[in-house]
Amino acid sequence: MRTITLLMALLLFANCKAQVENMERPVITPEFEKLNLEDYKDGLIITESIGTAAPYVGVKFKIYSYEKINNEVSFILHGTLEEGLNSSFTATNSYYSIGKSYYPNKNIKMKYMRSSITQNILIGKQYFFNQEGKLEKTVDHDQGWDFSYEKVIEYILARKSPLVREDIYYGAEITQEGKEKKYWQLILDTQKTTNKSTWEIIKLDAMTGEILYQIEFEGDRIYHVCMGDNNPKALERVIVADKTLKK
């Protein structure tokens, strides 16, 4: 049996218009929680399925699903009692999502915050619990990233680059890179400021925000393009030579 996690099911907002001055992180605490399915009975959908993967091959089980998506929030609950359930909550126009996982006994397993713009960025403290509800581990995802997620968003908006574009399938791509030298890597659409079909790859130092690399491409952009290698038609203009390359 394989549970579909909320990490992939969460809907990204296509109208992220919140202002930076109103950016405020949601609060998550290390306190114990227990999931009560009765709270969602009015919209809870239960479907039956048969496991196809070990150790649940041939086992009948129930999948629990609940969604609340409107002009104010996006909340999704999904999972099984055998493997546990996951939930994800995002306020409309928020830069943040809150995710929670629960054990089969419905005790909290994990709490975390992540970017609502890109799913692979965890923010702030992540809490891990054992099955009895005792807090066992805390991971601070801000450590080593003094140039914070919020500062990255401010940088992108100051460049007048869209975080999300409604007319095409891509917007800003934000990733955290590096081991010895940590940095943010951004792929930004710059058509608004150049009035051309342009986009940039930028690397920002994780501690200071210094531009470690900046290159502009002009031409057709391919989704998840890497340095233009998959887009030979793109014209390249190096603005800041790459300081992250090992000498």
Side-chain angles (χ1 to χ4, degrees):
M1 178 176 60
R2 185 176 180 180
T3 300
I4 302 174
T5 69
L6 269 299
L7 294 178
M8 301 304 296
L10 177 69
L11 298 178
L12 296 180
F13 290 98
N15 61 339
C16 188
K17 301 173 183 176
Q19 298 299 311
V20 171
E21 56 265 27
N22 295 326
M23 183 186 293
E24 186 174 345
R25 286 190 182 189
V27 176
I28 57 174
T29 69
E31 295 177 355
F32 170 77
E33 296 180 23
K34 191 175 183 71
L35 178 66
N36 184 4
L37 291 176
E38 285 294 309
D39 294 339
Y40 310 102
K41 62 181 180 180
D42 290 342
L44 191 65
I45 298 174
I46 304 174
T47 57
E48 293 188 350
S49 186
I50 298 178
T52 58
Y56 300 103
V57 176
V59 176
K60 293 183 179 180
F61 60 94
K62 294 179 180 179
I63 299 174
Y64 294 78
S65 299
Y66 177 91
E67 291 187 5
K68 181 179 181 181
I69 301 175
N70 54 36
N71 292 331
E72 297 180 355
V73 301
S74 169
F75 177 80
I76 303 174
L77 177 70
H78 189 92
T80 68
L81 295 182
E82 288 79 6
E83 288 192 333
L85 292 94
N86 302 285
S87 71
S88 186
F89 174 88
T90 311
T92 300
N93 295 333
S94 173
Y95 295 118
Y96 310 92
S97 296
I98 294 176
K100 298 180 181 180
S101 298
Y102 300 90
Y103 287 105
N105 65 6
K106 304 185 186 68
N107 285 349
I108 188 71
K109 181 178 182 180
M110 178 177 61
K111 303 182 193 179
Y112 61 92
M113 188 187 312
R114 67 175 181 181
S115 165
S116 65
I117 305 301
T118 181
Q119 296 185 6
N120 60 356
I121 296 176
L122 295 176
I123 304 165
K125 292 182 178 179
Q126 183 176 13
Y127 302 107
F128 298 84
F129 302 79
N130 63 21
Q131 294 192 50
E132 287 70 46
K134 181 181 178 181
L135 179 65
E136 286 196 325
K137 182 181 177 182
T138 301
V139 177
D140 188 351
H141 294 286
D142 289 341
Q143 191 171 0
W145 299 86
D146 286 6
F147 194 80
S148 65
Y149 166 72
E150 288 83 1
K151 291 177 181 177
V152 171
I153 298 298
E154 289 176 353
Y155 174 83
I156 295 173
L157 295 181
R159 291 288 312 275
K160 302 187 184 305
S161 181
L163 291 168
V164 178
R165 286 191 58 175
E166 299 180 11
D167 55 333
I168 47 181
Y169 61 87
Y170 58 76
E173 292 183 52
I174 311 170
T175 56
Q176 292 172 297
E177 304 289 346
K179 293 182 179 179
E180 296 179 2
K181 181 72 171 178
K182 295 181 180 179
Y183 59 88
W184 296 94
Q185 179 163 291
L186 316 178
I187 302 181
L188 305 181
D189 188 307
T190 57
Q191 294 186 50
K192 258 188 178 179
T193 54
T194 64
N195 293 316
K196 298 178 182 179
S197 180
T198 55
W199 40 279
E200 294 181 6
I201 294 178
I202 302 168
K203 297 178 182 179
L204 301 175
D205 186 275
M207 298 299 290
T208 66
E210 175 192 358
I211 296 177
L212 302 175
Y213 178 60
Q214 184 174 7
I215 183 171
E216 179 188 75
F217 296 92
E218 182 178 350
D220 294 331
R221 174 179 168 183
I222 298 177
Y223 190 51
H224 283 302
V225 70
C226 179
M227 304 297 290
D229 293 343
N230 296 323
N231 190 352
K233 296 180 181 179
L235 302 176
E236 303 179 12
R237 181 171 70 93
V238 176
I239 302 171
V240 176
D242 199 337
K243 300 178 184 178
T244 65
L245 300 176
K246 292 184 178 182
K247 296 181 180 179

